[in-house]
Amino acid sequence: AQKVTQAQTEISVVEKEDVTLDCVYETRDTTYYLFWYKQPPSGELVFLIRRNSFDEQNEISGRYSWNFQKSTSSFNFTITASQVVDSAVYFCALNAMNRDDKIIFGKGTRLHILP
Amino acid sequence: DAGVTQSPTHLIKTRGQQVTLRCSPKSGHDTVSWYQQALGQGPQFIFQYYEEEERQRGNFPDRFSGHQFPNYSSELNVNALLLGDSALYLCASSFGLAGGNNEQFFGPGTRLTVL
């Protein structure tokens, strides 16, 4: 069975603070993809990143960074120097490579960036 | 280049009625997936269409059915609506069926309210 757990339901931080969103996943597959999506109030899911299970190298994109650790089945997302525009619901997701296109989503973390 | 479009934006129905939601994929994409996102939850996979056939299906009853047209657009039909069907319905498009290799682009969704 595949499962994604985002233990943090809601987080509030003051603007310019750093914030980390946690994601723990479960899968018996040895090859898989992990994703992060952002869902602003408009409702549309915005793709942020995709990592495959063979690539544990951490990634940085501007103020965003991702820490992938297979040993702990975690794929955490950090926003540095947060901005009000970062306020949204963030979803971590999992897909088994070469099996199907079904993406398994976590329940999401609602992030509030306070001015 | 138009992204994924969905119609209508909002819809209100009563229990027992039937509803049809529509999705046009991103230009160049041939695969459409449908997700249901209940309030406060992550999206859940309903089914996927490729080459006008349902290729995969999540844990949804037969009341949920779909169709894909030769131009790759798709419809989601829900019969005998229940209060629990109230949700945001998201459509995602991709090119091909190669699992997570193919990025899925999401539309803005249709918010269905069942009274």
Side-chain angles (χ1 to χ4, degrees):
Chain A
Q2 299 182 78
K3 184 179 179 182
V4 176
T5 301
Q6 295 180 255
Q8 303 151 308
T9 305
E10 201 159 346
I11 300 175
S12 294
V13 299
V14 177
E15 196 174 19
K16 297 184 183 178
E17 288 186 351
D18 299 346
V19 58
T20 295
L21 308 183
D22 297 333
C23 173
V24 174
Y25 62 93
E26 296 175 31
T27 180
R28 292 179 180 171
D29 294 282
T30 56
T31 56
Y32 49 88
Y33 280 106
L34 295 166
F35 304 81
W36 275 95
Y37 287 88
K38 174 182 180 180
Q39 188 174 45
S42 61
E44 187 168 346
L45 282 171
V46 177
F47 168 85
L48 295 178
I49 189 172
R50 176 182 60 205
R51 303 293 288 180
N52 71 57
S53 52
F54 299 117
D55 185 1
E56 286 192 74
Q57 194 168 15
N58 292 330
E59 182 158 339
I60 298 174
S61 176
R63 297 184 296 107
Y64 295 169
S65 62
W66 291 269
N67 184 342
F68 176 27
Q69 293 194 338
K70 286 179 77 170
S71 61
T72 56
S73 297
S74 66
F75 186 44
N76 296 338
F77 172 34
T78 297
I79 301 175
T80 303
S82 61
Q83 299 176 3
V84 173
V85 293
D86 295 327
S87 297
V89 181
Y90 290 86
F91 291 97
C92 179
L94 168 70
N95 167 257
M97 289 170 65
N98 303 320
R99 188 209 285 201
D100 56 43
D101 272 355
K102 182 168 58 178
I103 299 178
I104 307 298
F105 286 85
K107 292 188 176 182
T109 297
R110 183 173 296 277
L111 178 63
H112 300 278
I113 308 298
L114 308 173
Chain B
D1 177 23
V4 180
T5 59
Q6 293 186 243
S7 63
T9 306
H10 295 87
L11 204 52
I12 298 175
K13 293 285 188 178
T14 56
R15 280 178 297 175
Q17 285 189 312
Q18 179 264 344
V19 68
T20 297
L21 310 182
R22 295 176 177 82
C23 171
S24 291
K26 180 178 170 64
S27 178
H29 286 182
D30 57 6
T31 303
V32 173
S33 301
W34 286 93
Y35 292 80
Q36 180 196 65
Q37 186 180 11
L39 196 62
Q41 302 293 316
Q44 289 198 321
F45 177 79
I46 302 175
F47 44 51
Q48 179 185 73
Y49 277 85
Y50 174 71
E51 292 186 338
E52 302 180 48
E53 289 187 10
E54 183 183 296
R55 297 290 177 159
Q56 301 169 48
R57 190 179 184 93
N59 293 328
F60 281 81
D62 292 343
R63 299 186 298 108
F64 289 77
S65 63
H67 188 78
Q68 186 178 36
F69 299 93
N71 67 352
Y72 308 120
S73 67
S74 176
E75 287 182 349
L76 163 65
N77 301 295
V78 187
N79 295 322
L81 284 167
L82 304 173
L83 294 179
D85 295 332
S86 295
L88 179 68
Y89 288 84
L90 294 164
C91 169
S93 74
S94 59
F95 178 71
L97 279 176
N101 286 314
N102 296 321
E103 180 180 341
Q104 295 193 12
F105 289 79
F106 284 82
T110 293
R111 186 163 297 283
L112 172 65
T113 302
V114 181
L115 302 176

Short mmCIF file of all heavy atoms in Angstrom, two decimals, chain B residues 2-45:
data_model
loop_
_atom_site.label_atom_id
_atom_site.label_comp_id
_atom_site.label_asym_id
_atom_site.label_seq_id
_atom_site.Cartn_x
_atom_site.Cartn_y
_atom_site.Cartn_z
N ALA B 2 -3.00 27.40 -24.01
CA ALA B 2 -3.98 27.26 -22.93
C ALA B 2 -3.61 26.07 -22.07
O ALA B 2 -3.17 25.03 -22.55
CB ALA B 2 -5.37 27.08 -23.51
N GLY B 3 -3.80 26.24 -20.78
CA GLY B 3 -3.57 25.14 -19.87
C GLY B 3 -4.80 24.27 -19.82
O GLY B 3 -5.65 24.28 -20.71
N VAL B 4 -4.94 23.52 -18.75
CA VAL B 4 -6.11 22.66 -18.56
C VAL B 4 -7.30 23.54 -18.18
O VAL B 4 -7.18 24.37 -17.28
CB VAL B 4 -5.85 21.62 -17.46
CG1 VAL B 4 -7.07 20.73 -17.27
CG2 VAL B 4 -4.61 20.80 -17.79
N THR B 5 -8.40 23.36 -18.87
CA THR B 5 -9.59 24.13 -18.54
C THR B 5 -10.71 23.20 -18.11
O THR B 5 -10.81 22.06 -18.60
CB THR B 5 -10.06 24.99 -19.74
OG1 THR B 5 -10.35 24.12 -20.85
CG2 THR B 5 -9.00 25.99 -20.14
N GLN B 6 -11.53 23.69 -17.18
CA GLN B 6 -12.65 22.90 -16.67
C GLN B 6 -13.91 23.76 -16.63
O GLN B 6 -13.83 24.96 -16.40
CB GLN B 6 -12.35 22.39 -15.26
CG GLN B 6 -11.23 21.38 -15.19
CD GLN B 6 -11.06 20.80 -13.81
OE1 GLN B 6 -10.02 20.98 -13.18
NE2 GLN B 6 -12.07 20.07 -13.34
N SER B 7 -15.02 23.10 -16.87
CA SER B 7 -16.30 23.80 -16.76
C SER B 7 -17.36 22.87 -16.19
O SER B 7 -17.29 21.64 -16.38
CB SER B 7 -16.74 24.32 -18.14
OG SER B 7 -16.96 23.23 -19.02
N PRO B 8 -18.33 23.41 -15.47
CA PRO B 8 -18.38 24.80 -15.02
C PRO B 8 -17.44 25.03 -13.83
O PRO B 8 -16.82 24.09 -13.35
CB PRO B 8 -19.84 24.95 -14.59
CG PRO B 8 -20.20 23.58 -14.09
CD PRO B 8 -19.46 22.61 -14.98
N THR B 9 -17.37 26.25 -13.36
CA THR B 9 -16.53 26.58 -12.21
C THR B 9 -17.20 26.11 -10.93
O THR B 9 -16.53 25.55 -10.05
CB THR B 9 -16.29 28.09 -12.14
OG1 THR B 9 -15.78 28.52 -13.39
CG2 THR B 9 -15.32 28.42 -11.03
N HIS B 10 -18.47 26.39 -10.83
CA HIS B 10 -19.25 26.00 -9.66
C HIS B 10 -20.56 25.37 -10.13
O HIS B 10 -21.06 25.69 -11.21
CB HIS B 10 -19.60 27.21 -8.78
CG HIS B 10 -18.43 27.87 -8.15
ND1 HIS B 10 -17.70 28.85 -8.79
CD2 HIS B 10 -17.83 27.68 -6.94
CE1 HIS B 10 -16.73 29.25 -8.00
NE2 HIS B 10 -16.77 28.56 -6.87
N LEU B 11 -21.08 24.49 -9.28
CA LEU B 11 -22.31 23.78 -9.62
C LEU B 11 -23.03 23.41 -8.33
O LEU B 11 -22.39 22.94 -7.38
CB LEU B 11 -21.94 22.51 -10.39
CG LEU B 11 -22.94 21.86 -11.34
CD1 LEU B 11 -23.51 22.87 -12.32
CD2 LEU B 11 -22.26 20.73 -12.08
N ILE B 12 -24.33 23.63 -8.31
CA ILE B 12 -25.13 23.22 -7.16
C ILE B 12 -26.20 22.26 -7.65
O ILE B 12 -26.94 22.56 -8.59
CB ILE B 12 -25.78 24.44 -6.47
CG1 ILE B 12 -24.70 25.38 -5.95
CG2 ILE B 12 -26.67 23.98 -5.31
CD1 ILE B 12 -25.25 26.66 -5.34
N LYS B 13 -26.26 21.11 -7.02
CA LYS B 13 -27.24 20.08 -7.36
C LYS B 13 -27.91 19.58 -6.10
O LYS B 13 -27.46 19.85 -4.98
CB LYS B 13 -26.53 18.90 -8.06
CG LYS B 13 -25.97 19.22 -9.43
CD LYS B 13 -27.07 19.33 -10.46
CE LYS B 13 -26.52 19.45 -11.86
NZ LYS B 13 -27.62 19.49 -12.88
N THR B 14 -28.99 18.84 -6.27
CA THR B 14 -29.66 18.22 -5.12
C THR B 14 -29.45 16.72 -5.16
O THR B 14 -29.13 16.15 -6.21
CB THR B 14 -31.16 18.54 -5.11
OG1 THR B 14 -31.73 18.10 -6.35
CG2 THR B 14 -31.40 20.03 -4.93
N ARG B 15 -29.62 16.11 -4.01
CA ARG B 15 -29.43 14.66 -3.90
C ARG B 15 -30.27 13.91 -4.93
O ARG B 15 -31.42 14.25 -5.19
CB ARG B 15 -29.82 14.20 -2.50
CG ARG B 15 -28.77 14.43 -1.45
CD ARG B 15 -29.25 14.00 -0.08
NE ARG B 15 -30.39 14.78 0.36
CZ ARG B 15 -31.07 14.56 1.48
NH1 ARG B 15 -30.72 13.54 2.25
NH2 ARG B 15 -32.08 15.32 1.82
N GLY B 16 -29.66 12.89 -5.51
CA GLY B 16 -30.36 12.06 -6.48
C GLY B 16 -30.19 12.53 -7.92
O GLY B 16 -30.44 11.75 -8.86
N GLN B 17 -29.77 13.77 -8.09
CA GLN B 17 -29.59 14.28 -9.45
C GLN B 17 -28.30 13.73 -10.06
O GLN B 17 -27.49 13.06 -9.42
CB GLN B 17 -29.54 15.80 -9.45
CG GLN B 17 -30.89 16.46 -9.26
CD GLN B 17 -30.81 17.97 -9.49
OE1 GLN B 17 -29.91 18.65 -8.96
NE2 GLN B 17 -31.73 18.49 -10.28
N GLN B 18 -28.14 14.03 -11.34
CA GLN B 18 -26.97 13.63 -12.08
C GLN B 18 -26.21 14.88 -12.51
O GLN B 18 -26.79 15.94 -12.71
CB GLN B 18 -27.40 12.80 -13.31
CG GLN B 18 -26.27 12.33 -14.18
CD GLN B 18 -26.00 13.24 -15.37
OE1 GLN B 18 -26.83 14.07 -15.72
NE2 GLN B 18 -24.84 13.12 -15.97
N VAL B 19 -24.88 14.76 -12.64
CA VAL B 19 -24.08 15.92 -13.01
C VAL B 19 -23.00 15.50 -14.02
O VAL B 19 -22.52 14.35 -13.99
CB VAL B 19 -23.43 16.56 -11.77
CG1 VAL B 19 -22.37 15.64 -11.16
CG2 VAL B 19 -22.83 17.91 -12.10
N THR B 20 -22.65 16.41 -14.91
CA THR B 20 -21.58 16.20 -15.87
C THR B 20 -20.59 17.34 -15.78
O THR B 20 -20.97 18.51 -15.88
CB THR B 20 -22.11 16.11 -17.31
OG1 THR B 20 -22.99 14.98 -17.43
CG2 THR B 20 -20.97 15.94 -18.30
N LEU B 21 -19.34 17.00 -15.56
CA LEU B 21 -18.26 17.98 -15.50
C LEU B 21 -17.37 17.78 -16.72
O LEU B 21 -17.18 16.66 -17.19
CB LEU B 21 -17.44 17.78 -14.22
CG LEU B 21 -18.22 17.69 -12.91
CD1 LEU B 21 -17.26 17.54 -11.74
CD2 LEU B 21 -19.14 18.87 -12.72
N ARG B 22 -16.79 18.89 -17.20
CA ARG B 22 -16.02 18.82 -18.44
C ARG B 22 -14.59 19.30 -18.25
O ARG B 22 -14.32 20.18 -17.41
CB ARG B 22 -16.72 19.63 -19.52
CG ARG B 22 -18.07 19.04 -19.91
CD ARG B 22 -18.83 19.86 -20.92
NE ARG B 22 -20.07 19.21 -21.29
CZ ARG B 22 -21.20 19.27 -20.59
NH1 ARG B 22 -21.24 19.97 -19.48
NH2 ARG B 22 -22.28 18.63 -21.01
N CYS B 23 -13.70 18.73 -19.06
CA CYS B 23 -12.28 19.07 -18.95
C CYS B 23 -11.66 19.08 -20.35
O CYS B 23 -11.86 18.14 -21.14
CB CYS B 23 -11.57 18.05 -18.07
SG CYS B 23 -9.76 18.18 -18.06
N SER B 24 -10.90 20.12 -20.62
CA SER B 24 -10.11 20.17 -21.86
C SER B 24 -8.64 20.13 -21.47
O SER B 24 -8.19 20.98 -20.70
CB SER B 24 -10.42 21.44 -22.65
OG SER B 24 -11.71 21.38 -23.18
N PRO B 25 -7.89 19.17 -21.98
CA PRO B 25 -6.50 19.05 -21.55
C PRO B 25 -5.62 20.14 -22.14
O PRO B 25 -6.01 20.84 -23.07
CB PRO B 25 -6.09 17.68 -22.10
CG PRO B 25 -6.97 17.48 -23.29
CD PRO B 25 -8.27 18.14 -22.94
N LYS B 26 -4.44 20.24 -21.58
CA LYS B 26 -3.44 21.16 -22.10
C LYS B 26 -3.09 20.74 -23.53
O LYS B 26 -3.09 19.54 -23.85
CB LYS B 26 -2.21 21.09 -21.20
CG LYS B 26 -1.04 21.98 -21.56
CD LYS B 26 0.07 21.81 -20.54
CE LYS B 26 1.36 22.50 -21.00
NZ LYS B 26 1.19 23.96 -21.11
N SER B 27 -2.79 21.72 -24.36
CA SER B 27 -2.45 21.45 -25.74
C SER B 27 -1.30 20.44 -25.83
O SER B 27 -0.28 20.58 -25.14
CB SER B 27 -2.06 22.76 -26.43
OG SER B 27 -1.67 22.52 -27.76
N GLY B 28 -1.49 19.41 -26.64
CA GLY B 28 -0.45 18.40 -26.81
C GLY B 28 -0.58 17.21 -25.89
O GLY B 28 0.13 16.21 -26.04
N HIS B 29 -1.48 17.30 -24.92
CA HIS B 29 -1.69 16.20 -23.98
C HIS B 29 -2.80 15.29 -24.45
O HIS B 29 -3.79 15.74 -25.05
CB HIS B 29 -2.02 16.74 -22.59
CG HIS B 29 -0.84 17.32 -21.89
ND1 HIS B 29 -0.93 17.83 -20.60
CD2 HIS B 29 0.45 17.46 -22.25
CE1 HIS B 29 0.25 18.26 -20.23
NE2 HIS B 29 1.11 18.06 -21.22
N ASP B 30 -2.65 13.99 -24.16
CA ASP B 30 -3.64 13.02 -24.62
C ASP B 30 -4.25 12.19 -23.49
O ASP B 30 -5.08 11.32 -23.74
CB ASP B 30 -3.01 12.09 -25.65
CG ASP B 30 -1.77 11.36 -25.12
OD1 ASP B 30 -1.48 11.48 -23.91
OD2 ASP B 30 -1.11 10.68 -25.92
N THR B 31 -3.83 12.45 -22.28
CA THR B 31 -4.29 11.65 -21.14
C THR B 31 -4.95 12.57 -20.11
O THR B 31 -4.40 13.63 -19.80
CB THR B 31 -3.10 10.91 -20.49
OG1 THR B 31 -2.47 10.10 -21.46
CG2 THR B 31 -3.58 10.04 -19.34
N VAL B 32 -6.09 12.15 -19.63
CA VAL B 32 -6.82 12.95 -18.64
C VAL B 32 -7.10 12.10 -17.41
O VAL B 32 -7.58 10.97 -17.51
CB VAL B 32 -8.14 13.48 -19.22
CG1 VAL B 32 -8.97 14.15 -18.13
CG2 VAL B 32 -7.87 14.46 -20.36
N SER B 33 -6.81 12.67 -16.25
CA SER B 33 -7.11 12.02 -14.98
C SER B 33 -8.05 12.91 -14.19
O SER B 33 -7.96 14.14 -14.27
CB SER B 33 -5.84 11.78 -14.16
OG SER B 33 -4.92 10.98 -14.86
N TRP B 34 -8.93 12.29 -13.42
CA TRP B 34 -9.88 13.03 -12.59
C TRP B 34 -9.63 12.72 -11.12
O TRP B 34 -9.35 11.58 -10.75
CB TRP B 34 -11.32 12.63 -12.93
CG TRP B 34 -11.82 13.19 -14.24
CD1 TRP B 34 -11.77 12.58 -15.46
CD2 TRP B 34 -12.46 14.44 -14.44
NE1 TRP B 34 -12.33 13.39 -16.42
CE2 TRP B 34 -12.78 14.53 -15.81
CE3 TRP B 34 -12.81 15.51 -13.60
CZ2 TRP B 34 -13.42 15.64 -16.37
CZ3 TRP B 34 -13.45 16.61 -14.15
CH2 TRP B 34 -13.74 16.67 -15.52
N TYR B 35 -9.71 13.76 -10.30
CA TYR B 35 -9.51 13.64 -8.86
C TYR B 35 -10.66 14.32 -8.14
O TYR B 35 -11.20 15.33 -8.60
CB TYR B 35 -8.20 14.32 -8.44
CG TYR B 35 -6.95 13.64 -8.92
CD1 TYR B 35 -6.47 13.83 -10.22
CD2 TYR B 35 -6.22 12.80 -8.06
CE1 TYR B 35 -5.31 13.19 -10.66
CE2 TYR B 35 -5.06 12.18 -8.49
CZ TYR B 35 -4.62 12.38 -9.79
OH TYR B 35 -3.47 11.75 -10.22
N GLN B 36 -11.00 13.78 -6.98
CA GLN B 36 -11.99 14.39 -6.10
C GLN B 36 -11.27 14.91 -4.86
O GLN B 36 -10.51 14.18 -4.23
CB GLN B 36 -13.04 13.36 -5.67
CG GLN B 36 -14.11 13.93 -4.74
CD GLN B 36 -14.91 12.84 -4.03
OE1 GLN B 36 -14.38 12.10 -3.22
NE2 GLN B 36 -16.19 12.74 -4.35
N GLN B 37 -11.50 16.16 -4.53
CA GLN B 37 -10.88 16.73 -3.33
C GLN B 37 -11.97 17.23 -2.39
O GLN B 37 -12.57 18.28 -2.61
CB GLN B 37 -9.92 17.87 -3.69
CG GLN B 37 -9.15 18.40 -2.49
CD GLN B 37 -8.20 19.52 -2.85
OE1 GLN B 37 -8.22 20.08 -3.94
NE2 GLN B 37 -7.33 19.85 -1.91
N ALA B 38 -12.21 16.46 -1.34
CA ALA B 38 -13.16 16.89 -0.32
C ALA B 38 -12.52 18.00 0.51
O ALA B 38 -11.30 18.14 0.55
CB ALA B 38 -13.55 15.71 0.55
N LEU B 39 -13.37 18.75 1.19
CA LEU B 39 -12.89 19.89 1.97
C LEU B 39 -11.89 19.44 3.03
O LEU B 39 -12.15 18.51 3.79
CB LEU B 39 -14.09 20.59 2.64
CG LEU B 39 -13.84 22.00 3.16
CD1 LEU B 39 -13.46 22.92 2.02
CD2 LEU B 39 -15.08 22.51 3.89
N GLY B 40 -10.72 20.07 3.04
CA GLY B 40 -9.72 19.75 4.05
C GLY B 40 -8.94 18.48 3.78
O GLY B 40 -8.18 18.03 4.64
N GLN B 41 -9.12 17.90 2.61
CA GLN B 41 -8.43 16.66 2.27
C GLN B 41 -7.57 16.85 1.03
O GLN B 41 -7.70 17.85 0.31
CB GLN B 41 -9.46 15.55 1.99
CG GLN B 41 -10.41 15.27 3.14
CD GLN B 41 -9.69 14.68 4.33
OE1 GLN B 41 -8.85 13.80 4.19
NE2 GLN B 41 -10.00 15.20 5.51
N GLY B 42 -6.70 15.88 0.79
CA GLY B 42 -5.94 15.88 -0.45
C GLY B 42 -6.76 15.28 -1.57
O GLY B 42 -7.74 14.57 -1.33
N PRO B 43 -6.39 15.57 -2.80
CA PRO B 43 -7.12 15.00 -3.95
C PRO B 43 -7.03 13.47 -3.93
O PRO B 43 -6.00 12.91 -3.57
CB PRO B 43 -6.38 15.58 -5.15
CG PRO B 43 -5.71 16.81 -4.64
CD PRO B 43 -5.33 16.49 -3.23
N GLN B 44 -8.14 12.84 -4.35
CA GLN B 44 -8.17 11.37 -4.48
C GLN B 44 -8.46 11.00 -5.92
O GLN B 44 -9.39 11.54 -6.52
CB GLN B 44 -9.23 10.78 -3.55
CG GLN B 44 -8.88 10.87 -2.08
CD GLN B 44 -9.72 9.91 -1.26
OE1 GLN B 44 -10.90 9.73 -1.51
NE2 GLN B 44 -9.10 9.27 -0.29
N PHE B 45 -7.68 10.05 -6.42
CA PHE B 45 -7.78 9.65 -7.82
C PHE B 45 -9.10 8.93 -8.08
O PHE B 45 -9.46 7.99 -7.38
CB PHE B 45 -6.61 8.71 -8.12
CG PHE B 45 -6.58 8.12 -9.49
CD1 PHE B 45 -6.13 8.87 -10.57
CD2 PHE B 45 -6.99 6.82 -9.72
CE1 PHE B 45 -6.09 8.33 -11.84
CE2 PHE B 45 -6.95 6.26 -10.98
CZ PHE B 45 -6.51 7.02 -12.05
#
